[in-house]
Amino acid sequence: KMANETTSSTLSELYTEIVAEALFVASEQSIMRNLVRNYTIIGGGKSVEVPIYGTVSASAVAEATDLSNTAVNPSSVTITASEVGVMTTLTDLARNSASRNVAGDIGRLFGEAIARKMDADLSALFTGFSTEKGGGAGVELTIQDLFEAGTELRTANAPGPYFGVFHPKQIFNVKKALTNTFAGSANIPDLGNEAMRSGYVGQIAGIQIFESSNVAVDGSDDSIGGVFSQDALGLAMMQDLKIEAQRDASMRADEIVATAVYGVGELHDTYGVKLTADSLAN
């Protein structure tokens, strides 16, 4: 075999350090993964089919009267997994001469890259929600927008808890309102004080608010955030973060590859609300 076709299964400490660091960072960096419905793809195939049951209503029945049949015909959503990955080549000279733990650094970079990709793929699903609240492009997000989004979810009987994920610059105006004596903190002192102390928004209108720079910003400095129930979106995991290394003896280096295999999809449209707003904080 040629050198670049031979895979080494023993990189001892280098390999071990990359795996440990990468797995830790990936679990810490991903926000969206913990806020959506998670599935595991096992056995054959690379897809998972999720049955979606509609609402069934009960009605009053007179004594000694037969009940009529109620059709139960669930729809389904199929989530198909695909690969994401990143690779770099670490030379022996770089590894042995560096004053830093190069293996740990690479593990951190790879873990963050996979986690950011997963978050970006999940938050991109916000654009598919049919219901939209907020002022739209070029208009700052408001506290009222969040209350209206929460009302939409409750009207749709979306199961709680509710989550809101926004770009930090998109949620900026809400923080500003909470910390403004005239606009918010006089009426909502706990949230206003916490926002001033730590920048954490907290829970508004029953919605747990999270910030993520992985929410995309378009060319007009606008973002589409989302308020949703856990059952609105799904993540199907076929293979979690995995690190592999291949030795290239002629290059005196190791090719280090990080991959994950997963799919994302919208499960229940009325369980999510999209909010388009300005992401140019000022």
Coordinates of all heavy atoms in Angstrom, one line a residue, residues 148-217:
E148 N -45.7 37.8 22.0 CA -46.6 37.4 20.9 C -46.2 36.0 20.4 O -47.1 35.2 20.1 CB -46.6 38.4 19.8 CG -47.2 39.7 20.1 CD -47.2 40.7 18.9 OE1 -46.5 40.4 17.9 OE2 -47.7 41.8 19.1
A149 N -44.9 35.7 20.4 CA -44.5 34.4 19.9 C -44.9 33.3 20.9 O -45.4 32.3 20.5 CB -43.0 34.4 19.8
G150 N -44.8 33.6 22.2 CA -45.2 32.7 23.2 C -46.7 32.4 23.2 O -47.2 31.3 23.3
T151 N -47.5 33.5 22.9 CA -48.9 33.3 22.7 C -49.3 32.4 21.6 O -50.2 31.6 21.6 CB -49.6 34.7 22.5 OG1 -49.3 35.5 23.7 CG2 -51.1 34.6 22.3
E152 N -48.6 32.5 20.5 CA -48.8 31.7 19.3 C -48.6 30.2 19.7 O -49.3 29.3 19.3 CB -47.9 32.1 18.1 CG -48.2 33.4 17.5 CD -49.5 33.3 16.7 OE1 -49.9 32.2 16.3 OE2 -50.2 34.3 16.6
L153 N -47.5 29.9 20.4 CA -47.2 28.5 20.8 C -48.3 28.0 21.7 O -48.7 26.8 21.6 CB -45.9 28.4 21.5 CG -44.7 28.8 20.6 CD1 -43.4 28.5 21.4 CD2 -44.7 28.0 19.3
R154 N -48.8 28.8 22.7 CA -49.8 28.3 23.6 C -51.1 28.1 22.8 O -51.9 27.2 23.1 CB -50.0 29.3 24.7 CG -48.8 29.4 25.6 CD -49.0 30.4 26.8 NE -47.8 30.4 27.6 CZ -46.7 31.2 27.4 NH1 -46.7 32.0 26.4 NH2 -45.7 31.1 28.2
T155 N -51.4 29.0 21.9 CA -52.6 28.8 21.1 C -52.6 27.5 20.3 O -53.6 26.9 20.1 CB -52.8 30.0 20.1 OG1 -52.9 31.2 20.9 CG2 -54.1 29.9 19.3
A156 N -51.4 27.2 19.8 CA -51.2 25.9 19.1 C -51.1 24.7 20.0 O -50.9 23.6 19.5 CB -50.0 26.0 18.2
N157 N -51.3 24.9 21.3 CA -51.1 23.8 22.3 C -49.7 23.1 22.2 O -49.6 21.9 22.4 CB -52.2 22.7 22.1 CG -53.6 23.3 22.3 OD1 -53.8 24.0 23.3 ND2 -54.5 23.0 21.4
A158 N -48.7 23.9 21.9 CA -47.4 23.4 21.8 C -46.9 23.0 23.2 O -47.0 23.8 24.2 CB -46.4 24.4 21.2
P159 N -46.4 21.8 23.4 CA -46.0 21.4 24.8 C -44.7 22.2 25.2 O -43.8 22.5 24.4 CB -45.7 19.9 24.6 CG -45.3 19.8 23.2 CD -46.2 20.7 22.5
G160 N -44.7 22.6 26.5 CA -43.5 23.3 27.0 C -42.4 22.3 27.4 O -42.6 21.1 27.3
P161 N -41.2 22.8 27.7 CA -40.9 24.3 27.8 C -40.7 24.9 26.5 O -40.5 24.2 25.5 CB -39.6 24.2 28.7 CG -39.0 22.9 28.3 CD -40.1 21.9 28.1
Y162 N -40.7 26.2 26.5 CA -40.4 27.0 25.3 C -39.0 27.6 25.3 O -38.5 28.1 26.3 CB -41.4 28.1 25.1 CG -42.9 27.6 25.0 CD1 -43.9 28.5 25.4 CD2 -43.2 26.4 24.6 CE1 -45.2 28.1 25.3 CE2 -44.5 25.9 24.5 CZ -45.5 26.8 24.8 OH -46.8 26.3 24.7
F163 N -38.4 27.6 24.1 CA -37.0 28.1 24.0 C -37.0 29.2 23.0 O -37.7 29.2 22.0 CB -36.0 27.0 23.7 CG -36.1 25.8 24.6 CD1 -36.5 24.6 24.1 CD2 -35.6 25.9 25.9 CE1 -36.6 23.5 25.0 CE2 -35.7 24.8 26.7 CZ -36.2 23.6 26.3
G164 N -36.1 30.2 23.2 CA -35.9 31.2 22.2 C -34.4 31.3 21.9 O -33.6 31.4 22.8
V165 N -34.0 31.2 20.6 CA -32.6 31.3 20.3 C -32.4 32.4 19.3 O -33.1 32.4 18.2 CB -32.1 29.9 19.7 CG1 -30.6 30.1 19.3 CG2 -32.2 28.8 20.7
F166 N -31.5 33.3 19.6 CA -31.3 34.5 18.7 C -29.8 34.8 18.6 O -29.0 34.5 19.5 CB -32.0 35.7 19.4 CG -33.5 35.5 19.5 CD1 -34.0 35.1 20.7 CD2 -34.4 35.8 18.5 CE1 -35.3 34.9 20.9 CE2 -35.7 35.6 18.7 CZ -36.2 35.2 19.9
H167 N -29.4 35.5 17.6 CA -28.1 36.0 17.5 C -27.9 37.1 18.6 O -28.8 37.8 18.9 CB -27.9 36.7 16.1 CG -26.4 37.0 15.8 ND1 -25.8 38.2 16.3 CD2 -25.4 36.3 15.1 CE1 -24.6 38.2 15.9 NE2 -24.3 37.1 15.2
P168 N -26.7 37.2 19.2 CA -26.5 38.2 20.2 C -26.8 39.6 19.9 O -27.4 40.3 20.7 CB -25.0 38.0 20.5 CG -24.7 36.6 20.1 CD -25.5 36.3 19.0
K169 N -26.6 40.0 18.6 CA -26.9 41.3 18.2 C -28.4 41.5 18.0 O -28.9 42.6 18.0 CB -26.1 41.7 17.0 CG -24.6 41.9 17.2 CD -23.9 42.5 16.0 CE -22.5 42.8 16.3 NZ -21.7 43.4 15.2
Q170 N -29.1 40.4 17.7 CA -30.5 40.4 17.4 C -31.3 40.6 18.8 O -32.3 41.4 18.8 CB -31.0 39.2 16.8 CG -32.4 39.2 16.3 CD -32.9 37.8 15.7 OE1 -32.3 36.8 16.1 NE2 -33.8 37.9 14.8
I171 N -30.8 40.0 19.8 CA -31.4 40.1 21.1 C -31.0 41.3 21.9 O -31.5 41.6 23.0 CB -31.2 38.8 22.0 CG1 -32.2 38.6 23.1 CG2 -29.8 38.8 22.5 CD1 -33.6 38.3 22.6
F172 N -30.0 42.1 21.3 CA -29.5 43.2 22.0 C -30.5 44.3 22.5 O -30.5 44.8 23.6 CB -28.4 43.9 21.1 CG -27.9 45.2 21.7 CD1 -26.8 45.2 22.6 CD2 -28.4 46.4 21.2 CE1 -26.3 46.4 23.1 CE2 -27.8 47.6 21.8 CZ -26.8 47.6 22.7
N173 N -31.5 44.5 21.6 CA -32.5 45.6 21.9 C -33.3 45.1 23.1 O -33.8 46.0 23.9 CB -33.3 45.9 20.7 CG -34.2 47.1 20.9 OD1 -33.8 48.2 21.2 ND2 -35.5 46.8 20.9
V174 N -33.6 43.9 23.2 CA -34.4 43.4 24.3 C -33.6 43.6 25.6 O -34.1 44.1 26.6 CB -34.7 41.9 24.2 CG1 -35.3 41.3 25.4 CG2 -35.6 41.7 23.0
K175 N -32.3 43.3 25.6 CA -31.5 43.6 26.8 C -31.5 45.1 27.1 O -31.5 45.5 28.3 CB -30.0 43.1 26.6 CG -29.8 41.6 26.6 CD -28.4 41.3 26.5 CE -28.1 39.8 26.7 NZ -26.7 39.5 26.6
K176 N -31.4 45.9 26.1 CA -31.4 47.3 26.3 C -32.6 47.8 26.9 O -32.6 48.7 27.8 CB -31.1 48.0 24.9 CG -31.0 49.6 25.0 CD -30.5 50.1 23.7 CE -31.6 50.0 22.6 NZ -31.2 50.7 21.4
A177 N -33.8 47.2 26.5 CA -35.1 47.6 27.1 C -35.2 47.2 28.5 O -35.7 47.9 29.4 CB -36.2 47.0 26.3
L178 N -34.6 46.0 28.8 CA -34.7 45.5 30.2 C -33.9 46.4 31.2 O -34.2 46.5 32.3 CB -34.2 44.1 30.3 CG -35.1 43.0 29.6 CD1 -34.4 41.7 29.6 CD2 -36.4 42.9 30.3
T179 N -32.8 47.0 30.7 CA -31.9 47.7 31.5 C -32.1 49.2 31.5 O -31.4 50.0 32.1 CB -30.4 47.5 31.2 OG1 -30.2 47.8 29.8 CG2 -30.1 46.0 31.4
N180 N -33.1 49.6 30.7 CA -33.5 51.0 30.6 C -34.5 51.4 31.7 O -35.6 50.8 31.8 CB -34.1 51.3 29.2 CG -34.3 52.8 29.0 OD1 -35.0 53.5 29.8 ND2 -33.8 53.4 27.9
T181 N -34.2 52.3 32.6 CA -35.1 52.7 33.7 C -36.5 52.9 33.2 O -37.5 52.5 33.9 CB -34.6 53.9 34.5 OG1 -33.2 53.6 34.9 CG2 -35.4 54.2 35.7
F182 N -36.7 53.7 32.1 CA -38.0 54.1 31.7 C -38.7 53.0 30.9 O -39.9 52.9 30.9 CB -37.9 55.3 30.8 CG -37.3 56.5 31.6 CD1 -35.9 56.8 31.4 CD2 -38.0 57.2 32.5 CE1 -35.3 57.8 32.1 CE2 -37.4 58.2 33.2 CZ -36.1 58.6 33.0
A183 N -37.9 52.1 30.2 CA -38.5 51.1 29.3 C -38.8 49.8 30.0 O -39.7 49.1 29.6 CB -37.6 50.9 28.1
G184 N -37.9 49.4 31.0 CA -38.1 48.1 31.4 C -37.8 47.8 32.9 O -38.5 47.1 33.6
S185 N -36.6 48.2 33.3 CA -36.1 47.7 34.6 C -37.0 48.2 35.8 O -37.0 47.5 36.8 CB -34.6 48.1 34.8 OG -34.5 49.5 34.9
A186 N -37.7 49.3 35.6 CA -38.5 49.7 36.7 C -39.7 48.8 36.8 O -40.3 48.6 37.9 CB -39.1 51.1 36.4
N187 N -40.1 48.2 35.7 CA -41.3 47.3 35.8 C -40.9 45.8 35.9 O -41.6 45.0 36.3 CB -42.1 47.4 34.5 CG -42.7 48.8 34.3 OD1 -43.1 49.4 35.3 ND2 -42.6 49.4 33.1
I188 N -39.7 45.5 35.4 CA -39.2 44.1 35.5 C -37.8 44.1 36.2 O -36.8 43.9 35.5 CB -39.0 43.5 34.1 CG1 -40.2 43.8 33.2 CG2 -38.9 42.0 34.2 CD1 -40.1 43.3 31.8
P189 N -37.7 44.4 37.5 CA -36.5 44.7 38.1 C -35.5 43.5 38.1 O -34.3 43.6 37.9 CB -36.9 45.1 39.6 CG -38.2 44.5 39.7 CD -38.9 44.6 38.4
D190 N -36.0 42.3 38.4 CA -35.2 41.1 38.4 C -34.4 40.9 37.1 O -33.2 40.7 37.1 CB -36.0 39.9 38.8 CG -36.5 39.9 40.2 OD1 -35.9 40.7 41.0 OD2 -37.5 39.3 40.6
L191 N -35.2 40.8 36.0 CA -34.6 40.6 34.7 C -33.7 41.8 34.3 O -32.6 41.6 33.8 CB -35.7 40.5 33.6 CG -36.4 39.1 33.5 CD1 -37.5 39.2 32.5 CD2 -35.3 38.1 33.1
G192 N -34.1 43.0 34.6 CA -33.3 44.1 34.3 C -31.9 44.1 35.0 O -30.9 44.4 34.4
N193 N -32.0 43.8 36.3 CA -30.7 43.8 37.1 C -29.8 42.7 36.6 O -28.6 42.8 36.6 CB -31.1 43.6 38.6 CG -31.7 44.9 39.2 OD1 -31.6 45.9 38.6 ND2 -32.5 44.7 40.2
E194 N -30.4 41.5 36.4 CA -29.6 40.3 35.9 C -28.9 40.6 34.6 O -27.8 40.3 34.3 CB -30.4 39.1 35.8 CG -29.6 37.8 35.5 CD -28.6 37.5 36.6 OE1 -28.8 37.9 37.7 OE2 -27.6 36.9 36.2
A195 N -29.7 41.3 33.7 CA -29.1 41.6 32.4 C -28.0 42.6 32.5 O -27.0 42.5 31.8 CB -30.2 42.2 31.5
M196 N -28.1 43.5 33.4 CA -27.0 44.5 33.6 C -25.8 43.8 34.3 O -24.6 44.1 34.0 CB -27.5 45.7 34.5 CG -28.4 46.6 33.8 SD -28.7 48.2 34.7 CE -29.7 47.6 36.0
R197 N -26.0 42.9 35.2 CA -24.9 42.2 35.9 C -24.1 41.3 35.0 O -22.9 41.3 35.0 CB -25.4 41.5 37.1 CG -25.7 42.3 38.3 CD -25.9 41.4 39.6 NE -27.0 40.5 39.4 CZ -28.2 40.7 39.8 NH1 -28.5 41.8 40.4 NH2 -29.1 39.8 39.6
S198 N -24.8 40.4 34.3 CA -24.2 39.3 33.6 C -24.4 39.3 32.1 O -23.8 38.5 31.4 CB -24.6 38.0 34.2 OG -26.0 37.8 34.0
G199 N -25.4 40.1 31.6 CA -25.7 40.0 30.2 C -26.7 38.9 29.9 O -27.1 38.7 28.8
Y200 N -27.1 38.0 30.9 CA -28.0 36.9 30.7 C -29.4 37.5 30.6 O -29.8 38.2 31.5 CB -27.8 35.9 31.8 CG -28.8 34.8 31.8 CD1 -28.8 33.9 30.7 CD2 -29.7 34.5 32.8 CE1 -29.7 32.9 30.6 CE2 -30.6 33.5 32.7 CZ -30.6 32.7 31.6 OH -31.5 31.6 31.5
V201 N -30.1 37.1 29.6 CA -31.5 37.6 29.4 C -32.5 36.9 30.4 O -33.3 37.5 31.0 CB -32.0 37.4 28.0 CG1 -33.4 37.9 27.8 CG2 -31.0 38.2 27.0
G202 N -32.4 35.5 30.5 CA -33.2 34.8 31.4 C -34.5 34.3 30.7 O -34.5 34.0 29.5
Q203 N -35.6 34.3 31.4 CA -36.9 33.8 30.9 C -37.8 35.0 30.8 O -38.1 35.7 31.7 CB -37.4 32.7 31.9 CG -38.7 32.1 31.4 CD -39.0 30.8 32.1 OE1 -38.1 29.9 32.2 NE2 -40.1 30.7 32.7
I204 N -38.4 35.1 29.6 CA -39.4 36.1 29.3 C -40.6 35.5 28.7 O -40.5 34.7 27.8 CB -38.8 37.2 28.3 CG1 -37.6 37.8 28.9 CG2 -39.9 38.3 28.0 CD1 -36.9 38.8 27.9
A205 N -41.8 35.8 29.3 CA -43.1 35.3 28.8 C -43.1 33.8 28.7 O -43.6 33.2 27.9 CB -43.3 35.8 27.4
G206 N -42.4 33.2 29.7 CA -42.3 31.7 29.8 C -41.3 31.1 28.8 O -41.3 29.9 28.6
I207 N -40.5 31.9 28.1 CA -39.6 31.5 27.1 C -38.1 31.6 27.7 O -37.7 32.7 28.1 CB -39.7 32.3 25.8 CG1 -41.1 32.3 25.3 CG2 -38.7 31.8 24.8 CD1 -41.4 33.3 24.2
Q208 N -37.4 30.5 27.6 CA -36.0 30.5 28.0 C -35.2 31.1 26.9 O -35.1 30.4 25.8 CB -35.5 29.1 28.4 CG -36.3 28.6 29.6 CD -35.8 27.1 30.0 OE1 -34.6 26.9 30.0 NE2 -36.8 26.3 30.2
I209 N -34.5 32.2 27.1 CA -33.8 32.9 26.0 C -32.3 32.5 26.0 O -31.7 32.6 27.0 CB -33.9 34.4 26.1 CG1 -35.4 34.8 26.2 CG2 -33.3 35.1 24.9 CD1 -36.3 34.5 25.0
F210 N -31.9 32.1 24.8 CA -30.5 31.8 24.6 C -29.9 32.6 23.4 O -30.6 33.0 22.5 CB -30.3 30.3 24.2 CG -30.7 29.3 25.3 CD1 -32.0 28.9 25.4 CD2 -29.8 28.8 26.2 CE1 -32.4 28.1 26.4 CE2 -30.2 28.0 27.2 CZ -31.5 27.6 27.3
E211 N -28.6 32.9 23.5 CA -27.9 33.6 22.5 C -26.9 32.6 21.8 O -26.3 31.8 22.4 CB -27.1 34.8 23.0 CG -27.9 35.8 23.7 CD -27.0 36.9 24.4 OE1 -26.2 36.5 25.2 OE2 -27.1 38.1 23.9
S212 N -26.8 32.7 20.5 CA -25.9 31.9 19.7 C -25.4 32.7 18.5 O -26.2 33.1 17.7 CB -26.6 30.6 19.3 OG -25.7 29.9 18.4
S213 N -24.1 32.8 18.4 CA -23.6 33.5 17.2 C -23.7 32.6 16.0 O -23.3 33.0 14.9 CB -22.1 33.9 17.4 OG -21.3 32.7 17.8
N214 N -24.1 31.3 16.2 CA -24.3 30.4 15.0 C -25.6 30.7 14.3 O -25.8 30.1 13.2 CB -24.3 29.0 15.5 CG -22.9 28.6 16.1 OD1 -21.9 29.0 15.6 ND2 -22.9 27.9 17.2
V215 N -26.5 31.6 14.8 CA -27.6 32.0 14.0 C -27.1 32.9 12.9 O -26.4 33.9 13.2 CB -28.6 32.8 15.0 CG1 -29.8 33.3 14.1 CG2 -29.2 31.8 16.0
A216 N -27.5 32.7 11.7 CA -26.9 33.4 10.6 C -27.3 34.8 10.5 O -28.5 35.2 10.9 CB -27.3 32.7 9.3
V217 N -26.5 35.7 10.0 CA -26.7 37.1 9.8 C -26.6 37.3 8.3 O -25.6 36.9 7.7 CB -25.8 38.0 10.5 CG1 -26.1 39.5 10.2 CG2 -25.8 37.8 12.0

